[in-house]
Amino acid sequence: MRTIKVGMIGLGTVGGGVVRILNEHRKNFLRDQGVDIELVKVASLDVEEAQKLGVGDIFTTDGFDIVNDPEIDIVIEVVGGTGIARKFVFAALEAGKRVVTANKAVMAQDFYELLELSGSKGVELAFETSVGGGIPIIGALRNSLIGNRIESVLGIVNGTTNYMLTQMAEHGSDYDTVLKEAQKLGYAEADPTADVEGHDAAAKIAILTTLAFNTEVVLDQVPTEGITQITPLDIANAKDMGYVIKLLAISHRTPEGIDMRVHPTLLPCSHALASVNGVFNAIFVVGDSVGETMFYGEGAGAGAAASAIVGDLIEVSQRIAYDITRPYIRFGTEQLPLKPMDDVVMSYYLRLPVPDRVGVVAQTATAFADKGVSIERMMQYPAADGSGNAELIFVTHPTREGDLKAVVAEIEKLGMLADEAVLIRML
Amino acid sequence: MRTIKVGMIGLGTVGGGVVRILNEHRKNFLRDQGVDIELVKVASLDVEEAQKLGVGDIFTTDGFDIVNDPEIDIVIEVVGGTGIARKFVFAALEAGKRVVTANKAVMAQDFYELLELSGSKGVELAFETSVGGGIPIIGALRNSLIGNRIESVLGIVNGTTNYMLTQMAEHGSDYDTVLKEAQKLGYAEADPTADVEGHDAAAKIAILTTLAFNTEVVLDQVPTEGITQITPLDIANAKDMGYVIKLLAISHRTPEGIDMRVHPTLLPCSHALASVNGVFNAIFVVGDSVGETMFYGEGAGAGAAASAIVGDLIEVSQRIAYDITRPYIRFGTEQLPLKPMDDVVMSYYLRLPVPDRVGVVAQTATAFADKGVSIERMMQYPAADGSGNAELIFVTHPTREGDLKAVVAEIEKLGMLADEAVLIRML
């Protein structure tokens, strides 16, 4: 049996984890899984990092050295992003190499093109790492749970924002403070946009939706709201009502189509996701036969992602070593419509900073009544910012989102807002 | 592509679930997974059940009709137990048929013989359903997490006892009452021994240990204690201290060997497993790379188990339809010793019913001191049973189990026990 030759593009924390696992466990993989996996080339811009990891002798700065190396069977892509990394993935498949990738952005954007290419070239594209870090959620949806008609996929899929929201909840810190902290600890990148604006979570729910509902969706179709507007004030208000705020990625099958979205969400403290803290991820899957299942683990961090990469690597290596073909699996055979965000029905938390003057509450409440939006509870208290304004907090009964937005627009039109309205969806 | 012919032995709740899934989803499996799966024969003792499920026309009362049918590719075994079911599994493999089984008892008892036979016959034996119902824990350990050196597997793996303990905790009911209730609801069998004595959980942790640590263990080697001794009194005492009682299946890698066991356990209410209630199962897996992961779902019930059976069925069917071999995976290549139960170090809850007389506390405490067992907290209160006895409750600091047992033996020898001592381990 021949040795499987692997090239890895990217040598950051995840790449470093993969190097460590292969160093430590290569002999066991040969003994127990029947595959001898050799890392023959690594590409990165950081030669010092490579030397530190003991791979300075198989180092190149050009990822295409790996893509074009005829000796290499499998390309691991852990660069990330849709720039050069996307080119590496396409080029590697074009060159007839198997690809193992952690790249959720590319998978969520180019899913069908990549699967098509991988099918036509007869080489596998493995992407367990793209969602949930070390949590084997892709494998579960593609294999063990395949007998189910999936009804819902829902969870916390971004470790960076979950760490930040946890810190804000536990220490009352504001957004900017926890962002700096997260950056210092390596949990957030220098440019945190993809995480804090929800794009990373949106990519993941697009991938999960594609697999769970067997329908064709891409990243751009996910209504997405990040956590940049979340304040300690709203977290404290939520807490007073017995709720926490989490960034959820959601996808439900409904009679009107797939209800898919990413947004901060007020969760009752008793909900299982409410106690998922720090960089941990947790994903619920509800199927018609299996009922409710949940998968939990570290969503970020070198070890968790490297674990998933190596899981894929061994599976793909076995297919090469034992000449095993994987049956072509069809995706997107159900073309389900997407439910427009305005038609989604939820409860809402709405905070309106208003001038503290006679008649404001009456006028505001009238705006709700006019649009037929029913209020479950309401509070008013003086704003803590010394502005002399008041904070009006509304929690609605389940309401069509379009109707609630009409209420807010009406209140704004009446000139009653002293500052921007804050709207957070509830579960 | 040819149709895959399946025979199913057993037509209880799980078998009924499989019939339903195949009826509802057969066309989708053909379209999306590329396999046409046809149920061609079912064996059961209950012809009426078969007629109700619409399979009266492919019915037989003899499982060997299925095992010996040359037309059949895959045998599903959902009879359970180590009697006739074990014969069916062996005979089907001998006859060169693939087997999908939910049978934890057979897998835990005959694991190596079965794997050997399946390997030598070149036919697959799939057993995802044997642990955790619909939770894809076997798949995770065999595939996605394979890059890890597993450190721990630990969880609630028996739905029946978890339902009973949950009812006892929530309603203060006693063991006999909740057992009858569970039997009425179909959660416990007429003979509940396998569940309540912990044998079912022991079989599951033996299978998980085999896979997670790649070592050779069988059912008989699992130190096992069931829930029959658990009283509302101990549950209430636990609650007062901020604990709940759960039946845990545990397996840790330690320097002295695998620490594997099944027993009721006091868990802090803040522990993630403390809120796993009813028939739900939850299993933690800790790996050197992936860190802590958790898998949660229904452990009992027709739907969950049928979901796992069909997941295996599709995978095996694809291998037949596309002529895919699975590389032979080696198990038990690490022969790890088992850590003797007496050497395990834990905290313990100990309840001693003693006569309420002068000197008892002093004598008891002296027994602890003599054996070097350190007490973390102690309570005494009058027994509620009108006996005039007192209840002495001790919680120890982490202690070698052998030492604690010596303390209990000493106290018993001194004639200080008015009734049996109750010892429950703590996490």
Side-chain angles (χ1 to χ4, degrees):
Chain A
M1 194 215 42
R2 73 181 178 87
T3 296
I4 307 301
K5 310 275 187 177
V6 176
M8 181 160 65
I9 311 179
L11 203 55
T13 48
V14 179
V18 172
V19 171
R20 186 191 63 73
I21 296 178
L22 288 177
N23 280 342
E24 285 179 15
H25 298 318
R26 180 176 172 185
K27 275 186 195 158
N28 287 346
F29 297 154
L30 177 57
R31 182 191 65 180
D32 302 325
Q33 316 305 327
V35 281
D36 189 30
I37 299 172
E38 185 187 357
L39 190 62
V40 296
K41 207 171 273 184
V42 296
S44 156
L45 297 178
D46 189 349
V47 65
E48 271 177 39
E49 189 63 37
Q51 281 160 349
K52 244 187 278 170
L53 289 164
V55 290
D57 53 327
I58 54 169
F59 176 79
T60 171
T61 52
D62 184 359
F64 289 102
D65 280 354
I66 288 173
V67 168
N68 297 320
D69 186 335
E71 186 199 35
I72 287 175
D73 300 294
I74 304 174
V75 175
I76 300 174
E77 184 273 304
V78 284
V79 174
T82 50
I84 185 82
R86 181 173 175 277
K87 292 200 179 101
F88 291 142
V89 171
F90 273 95
L93 291 173
E94 280 287 358
K97 303 205 181 304
R98 281 82 171 173
V99 174
V100 175
T101 181
N103 198 320
K104 63 242 31 167
V106 166
M107 288 309 300
Q109 184 186 290
D110 301 305
F111 193 90
Y112 297 91
E113 214 178 322
L114 284 168
L115 266 284
E116 191 69 37
L117 180 59
S118 128
S120 72
K121 291 285 176 180
V123 289
E124 199 168 355
L125 171 63
F127 53 96
E128 176 63 69
T129 322
S130 64
V131 184
I135 306 172
I137 183 71
I138 303 282
L141 287 173
R142 289 182 73 172
N143 300 305
S144 316
L145 298 178
I146 203 87
N148 287 268
R149 175 184 152 104
I150 303 294
E151 302 299 337
S152 284
V153 183
L154 177 156
I156 295 168
V157 295
N158 180 273
T160 306
T161 50
N162 202 48
Y163 171 81
M164 290 173 64
L165 291 172
T166 303
Q167 290 297 106
M168 288 174 80
E170 285 177 2
H171 306 294
S173 331
D174 64 15
Y175 176 84
D176 291 324
T177 308
V178 295
L179 174 59
K180 272 187 204 117
E181 225 174 81
Q183 284 170 325
K184 221 170 73 185
L185 289 165
Y187 294 154
E189 302 194 39
D191 175 1
T193 312
D195 290 318
V196 299
E197 296 290 359
H199 304 150
D200 175 84
K204 289 165 178 168
I205 199 68
I207 297 169
L208 293 177
T209 300
T210 298
L211 296 177
F213 302 112
N214 194 15
T215 190
E216 198 161 330
V217 296
V218 291
L219 177 54
D220 294 346
Q221 295 174 294
V222 186
T224 304
E225 193 180 301
I227 66 160
T228 53
Q229 305 304 319
I230 302 295
T231 62
L233 175 60
D234 296 307
I235 290 175
N237 285 341
K239 195 175 173 184
D240 286 345
M241 301 189 298
Y243 286 78
V244 296
I245 299 180
K246 296 286 185 187
L247 183 68
L248 293 196
I250 297 169
S251 200
H252 298 301
R253 186 192 294 273
T254 79
E256 303 86 39
I258 299 298
D259 166 16
M260 170 180 66
R261 45 203 158 91
V262 168
H263 52 67
T265 312
L266 267 79
L267 281 176
C269 288
S270 58
H271 193 283
L273 291 175
S275 52
V276 174
N277 288 325
V279 298
F280 278 87
N281 283 193
I283 301 166
F284 275 92
V285 179
V286 181
D288 65 342
S289 288
V290 77
E292 185 176 281
T293 60
M294 202 257 269
F295 302 79
Y296 167 91
E298 274 182 49
S307 161
I309 291 275
V310 173
D312 275 350
L313 186 63
I314 290 175
E315 198 175 0
V316 176
S317 296
Q318 287 181 329
R319 297 226 175 87
I320 300 173
Y322 296 94
D323 201 16
I324 302 167
T325 51
R326 187 182 172 89
Y328 182 63
I329 299 182
R330 276 147 290 269
F331 290 101
T333 50
E334 301 213 17
Q335 293 297 335
L336 301 173
L338 296 176
K339 185 168 179 170
M341 197 64 202
D342 272 357
D343 290 343
V344 170
V345 172
M346 273 174 288
S347 288
Y348 294 84
Y349 161 95
L350 186 64
R351 176 166 60 82
L352 306 175
V354 294
D356 189 7
R357 64 172 188 234
V358 174
V360 168
V361 173
Q363 275 183 291
T364 320
T366 304
F368 277 83
D370 284 350
K371 305 290 177 192
V373 173
S374 175
I375 298 164
E376 193 207 288
R377 64 167 111 179
M378 194 244 144
M379 284 169 284
Q380 178 186 336
Y381 54 84
D385 58 4
S387 60
N389 291 327
E391 302 279 7
L392 280 182
I393 313 287
F394 293 91
V395 171
T396 74
H397 283 293
T399 301
R400 217 185 127 263
E401 175 143 336
D403 294 342
L404 187 75
K405 283 186 175 159
V407 171
V408 178
E410 175 67 18
I411 291 168
E412 202 165 3
K413 212 178 88 187
L414 291 172
M416 280 187 301
L417 290 182
D419 202 344
E420 225 168 313
V422 172
L423 181 160
I424 309 177
R425 297 162 185 93
M426 303 178 76
L427 197 74
Chain B
M1 194 214 41
R2 74 182 179 86
T3 297
I4 306 302
K5 309 275 187 178
V6 176
M8 182 159 66
I9 312 180
L11 202 55
T13 49
V14 179
V18 172
V19 170
R20 187 191 63 73
I21 296 179
L22 289 178
N23 281 342
E24 285 179 17
H25 298 318
R26 181 175 172 187
K27 276 186 194 157
N28 287 346
F29 297 156
L30 177 56
R31 183 191 64 180
D32 301 326
Q33 315 306 326
V35 282
D36 189 31
I37 300 173
E38 185 186 358
L39 190 62
V40 297
K41 207 171 272 182
V42 297
S44 156
L45 298 178
D46 188 350
V47 66
E48 272 176 40
E49 189 63 37
Q51 282 159 347
K52 242 188 279 168
L53 288 165
V55 290
D57 54 326
I58 54 169
F59 177 79
T60 171
T61 51
D62 183 359
F64 288 103
D65 280 352
I66 287 173
V67 169
N68 298 321
D69 185 336
E71 186 199 36
I72 286 175
D73 301 295
I74 304 174
V75 175
I76 300 174
E77 183 271 304
V78 284
V79 174
T82 50
I84 184 81
R86 182 175 175 277
K87 290 197 180 108
F88 291 142
V89 171
F90 273 94
L93 291 173
E94 281 287 358
K97 304 205 181 304
R98 280 81 171 175
V99 174
V100 175
T101 181
N103 199 319
K104 64 241 34 168
V106 166
M107 288 309 300
Q109 184 185 290
D110 301 305
F111 192 91
Y112 297 92
E113 215 178 323
L114 283 169
L115 266 283
E116 191 71 36
L117 180 58
S118 128
S120 73
K121 290 285 176 180
V123 291
E124 199 167 355
L125 172 63
F127 53 96
E128 176 63 70
T129 323
S130 65
V131 184
I135 305 171
I137 183 71
I138 304 282
L141 287 173
R142 289 181 73 172
N143 299 304
S144 316
L145 299 178
I146 203 87
N148 287 268
R149 175 185 153 104
I150 303 293
E151 301 300 337
S152 283
V153 184
L154 176 156
I156 296 169
V157 295
N158 181 272
T160 306
T161 49
N162 202 49
Y163 171 82
M164 291 172 63
L165 290 173
T166 303
Q167 289 297 108
M168 289 174 80
E170 283 177 4
H171 307 294
S173 333
D174 65 14
Y175 175 84
D176 291 324
T177 308
V178 295
L179 175 58
K180 269 184 207 123
E181 225 175 80
Q183 284 170 325
K184 221 171 71 185
L185 288 166
Y187 294 155
E189 302 194 38
D191 175 1
T193 313
D195 291 318
V196 300
E197 296 291 1
H199 303 150
D200 175 84
K204 289 166 177 169
I205 199 68
I207 296 169
L208 293 178
T209 300
T210 298
L211 296 177
F213 302 112
N214 194 15
T215 189
E216 200 161 329
V217 297
V218 291
L219 178 53
D220 294 347
Q221 294 173 295
V222 186
T224 303
E225 193 180 299
I227 66 160
T228 54
Q229 305 304 319
I230 301 296
T231 63
L233 175 60
D234 296 307
I235 289 176
N237 285 341
K239 195 175 174 185
D240 287 345
M241 300 190 296
Y243 287 78
V244 294
I245 300 180
K246 296 286 183 187
L247 182 68
L248 293 196
I250 296 169
S251 200
H252 298 299
R253 186 192 295 274
T254 79
E256 303 87 40
I258 299 297
D259 167 15
M260 172 180 64
R261 45 202 158 90
V262 168
H263 53 67
T265 312
L266 267 77
L267 280 176
C269 288
S270 59
H271 194 283
L273 290 175
S275 53
V276 174
N277 288 324
V279 296
F280 278 86
N281 283 194
I283 302 165
F284 274 91
V285 180
V286 181
D288 64 343
S289 287
V290 77
E292 186 177 279
T293 60
M294 200 257 268
F295 302 78
Y296 168 92
E298 275 181 48
S307 162
I309 291 274
V310 173
D312 275 350
L313 186 62
I314 291 175
E315 199 175 0
V316 176
S317 296
Q318 287 182 330
R319 297 226 175 86
I320 301 173
Y322 296 93
D323 200 17
I324 302 168
T325 51
R326 189 184 170 88
Y328 182 63
I329 298 182
R330 277 146 289 269
F331 291 101
T333 49
E334 300 213 18
Q335 293 296 335
L336 302 173
L338 295 175
K339 185 168 178 168
M341 196 66 201
D342 273 357
D343 290 343
V344 171
V345 173
M346 273 174 288
S347 287
Y348 295 83
Y349 161 96
L350 186 64
R351 177 165 62 82
L352 305 175
V354 294
D356 188 6
R357 63 170 192 240
V358 173
V360 168
V361 173
Q363 276 183 289
T364 319
T366 303
F368 277 83
D370 284 351
K371 304 291 177 192
V373 173
S374 175
I375 298 165
E376 193 208 287
R377 63 168 112 180
M378 194 244 146
M379 282 168 287
Q380 179 185 337
Y381 55 84
D385 59 3
S387 60
N389 291 328
E391 302 279 9
L392 280 181
I393 313 288
F394 293 91
V395 172
T396 74
H397 282 291
T399 300
R400 217 185 127 265
E401 175 142 338
D403 294 343
L404 187 75
K405 285 187 173 155
V407 171
V408 179
E410 177 66 18
I411 291 169
E412 201 164 6
K413 212 179 89 188
L414 291 171
M416 280 187 299
L417 289 183
D419 201 345
E420 223 167 315
V422 172
L423 180 160
I424 309 178
R425 296 161 186 94
M426 303 177 76
L427 196 76

